[in-house]
Amino acid sequence: MVKAGIWGVGIGVPDRVLTNKDLEQMVDTSDEWITSRTGIRERRIADPAQATSDLALLAARKAMEDARVDASEIDLIIVATVTPDSMFPATACLVQAGIGAAQAAAFDLSAGCSGFIYALEIAARCVEAGAYRRVLVVGADTLSRITNWTDRSTCVLFGDGAGACVVGPVKQGGVLSMYLGADGTGGDKLHIPAGGSRLPLTAEAMQEGKQYIHMAGNEVFKFAVRIMGDAAVEVIRRAGLQSEDIELFVPHQANIRIIDAAAKRLGLTPEKVFVNVQKYGNTSAASIPLALAEALEQDKIRPGDHVVLVGFGAGLTWGAAALQWNAEEDQLR
Ligand code: ACO
């Protein structure tokens, strides 16, 4: 069976930076509280005219350039997001039109911050099955649009961004194992109450702030600490590896304390853990591909390295991937 690997990556982030100091002017918080409880120092915020598909397009174009793949070669586009431009058409279709990938099927995937890993699994299996040969996977979110900027317990955590990769067939290595899961009984721990078929968006619902993210922070925190460790251990086991074989751990960037707890569980030293939460905050589905692309840019991943990606999010969901990074010569063009 043919294997699937990542051929290229790219990111798209808005220019505007919102610092913890800026937030001090908006809600009753402090730089010290945010930094010590979350590790976040600043985040990017989309311009009013910028939607999720605009950030997704920036990332997609860079990933295609990095992979040396033309839009005409892309045969499937998956955009993981919880903040589509609108309920429909799918943001993936807007990306398809934007890059001009006329041959590509396109759909969105909703799995919260685990969305990129979910999409990566689908892309990898499609390539392995021979059904598709060049899959564009994008994680993109503009959480600033669904954040209540008067709620200090959530607004300090989130930011906007997009990360993308092109998945294609490889001779060896690539995606070694994956592990996805969900616990729908925890759905109400992290949700948007209004704006769907259960509670359509009315003036009354808006007055109560039900169009925004509602989160039981402490319960999500406990779930995250447990599941990040469990998912990473399981995906490493499925790949037939040990923790000490991992050259780089690229976790979902939600909170430095969650990342540290997972790294400790795996017995990883700090130089084996990639962190950029201080720059972007929690960018939801964009978080892992943003971190992966920056790790590559900083030369922290070399061909042959074993890389573990792991995330958790709304659903509740979780997902992990173990990869062996490919050299360009491994790509089956
Ligand atoms: N500034 C100052 N004080 C604050 C702030 C703030 N921004 N936010 C909360 N506080 C206060 C609280 O009111 C509380 O005060 P009290 O003790 O007087 O009641 C105190 O700080 C402690 O609050 P906790 O909630 O216990 O703080 P904790 O240390 O748990 O950190 C946090 C809160 C950062 C939200 C943490 O629980 C967390 O990271 N949870 C996980 C969030 C997450 O990762 N979500 C994933 C989203 S994934 C997706 O799909 C979008």
Side-chain angles (χ1 to χ4, degrees):
M1 190 176 73
V2 70
K3 290 169 175 297
I6 293 179
W7 282 19
V9 298
I11 71 168
V13 292
D15 294 333
R16 185 179 158 214
V17 175
L18 184 74
T19 65
N20 291 351
K21 285 276 169 213
D22 297 329
L23 279 163
E24 285 179 356
Q25 310 303 313
M26 296 162 63
V27 287
D28 180 15
T29 191
S30 66
D31 176 34
E32 199 282 321
W33 192 96
I34 303 170
T35 309
S36 62
R37 300 292 180 110
T38 71
I40 303 165
R41 293 185 181 278
E42 58 187 44
R43 67 287 290 145
R44 300 298 181 95
I45 303 294
D47 285 337
Q50 240 169 356
T52 296
S53 68
D54 298 314
L55 301 178
L57 268 170
L58 288 173
R61 289 194 175 108
K62 285 190 196 142
M64 285 160 52
E65 195 185 317
D66 190 39
R68 294 188 295 108
V69 164
D70 189 73
S72 62
E73 298 172 75
I74 300 285
D75 45 17
L76 179 63
I77 300 171
I78 312 172
V79 174
T81 185
V82 291
T83 49
D85 286 26
S86 58
M87 290 294 276
F88 61 85
T91 299
C93 293
L94 304 176
V95 171
Q96 189 241 18
I99 60 175
Q103 309 305 320
F107 69 95
D108 286 359
L109 185 154
S110 171
C113 303
S114 315
F116 177 79
I117 303 282
Y118 267 64
L120 182 63
E121 162 117 54
I122 294 169
R125 302 304 172 218
C126 284
V127 167
E128 287 167 1
Y132 296 90
R133 286 186 58 81
R134 312 276 187 274
V135 185
L136 177 64
V137 176
V138 188
D141 270 306
T142 42
L143 291 185
S144 66
R145 299 281 151 73
I146 54 168
T147 295
N148 181 348
W149 290 102
T150 64
D151 173 12
R152 70 174 184 176
S153 69
T154 53
C155 76
V156 302
L157 303 175
F158 304 123
D160 301 334
C165 69
V166 175
V167 176
V170 292
K171 279 186 219 151
Q172 55 187 346
V175 178
L176 302 178
S177 66
M178 299 218 51
Y179 171 45
L180 305 183
D183 175 9
T185 65
D188 61 347
K189 307 278 181 269
L190 181 53
H191 70 141
I192 297 183
S197 60
R198 177 71 61 195
L199 182 60
L201 202 50
T202 57
E204 195 187 343
M206 282 184 78
Q207 219 155 29
E208 292 169 12
K210 290 184 172 165
Q211 70 275 39
Y212 297 128
I213 299 172
H214 287 239
M215 182 177 73
N218 220 280
E219 289 174 65
V220 174
F221 186 88
K222 282 188 228 151
F223 159 76
V225 165
R226 176 174 58 79
I227 209 66
M228 291 275 276
D230 286 355
V233 166
E234 177 60 15
V235 86
I236 291 169
R237 188 194 69 76
R238 288 184 185 190
L241 300 171
Q242 311 283 331
S243 300
E244 47 275 26
D245 300 323
I246 305 308
E247 273 85 17
L248 195 69
F249 180 55
V250 183
H252 172 41
Q253 308 285 314
N255 185 320
I256 191 66
R257 292 186 292 147
I258 297 172
I259 295 173
D260 286 347
K264 195 169 162 202
R265 167 98 184 266
L266 296 173
L268 297 175
T269 50
E271 64 278 8
K272 287 191 166 189
V273 181
F274 189 79
V275 176
N276 64 2
V277 71
Q278 70 283 359
K279 282 166 65 181
Y280 300 115
N282 180 349
T283 56
S284 191
S287 157
I288 291 175
L290 250 176
L292 179 64
E294 290 204 337
L296 283 159
E297 196 182 86
Q298 294 169 25
D299 249 357
K300 291 188 188 276
I301 301 173
R302 302 283 172 86
D305 281 358
H306 296 99
V307 179
V308 166
L309 317 177
V310 56
F312 67 93
L316 299 168
T317 57
W318 61 90
L323 314 169
Q324 186 170 23
W325 203 257
N326 293 107
E328 217 173 299
E329 308 82 76
D330 293 335
Q331 296 167 4
L332 287 166
R333 287 193 176 260

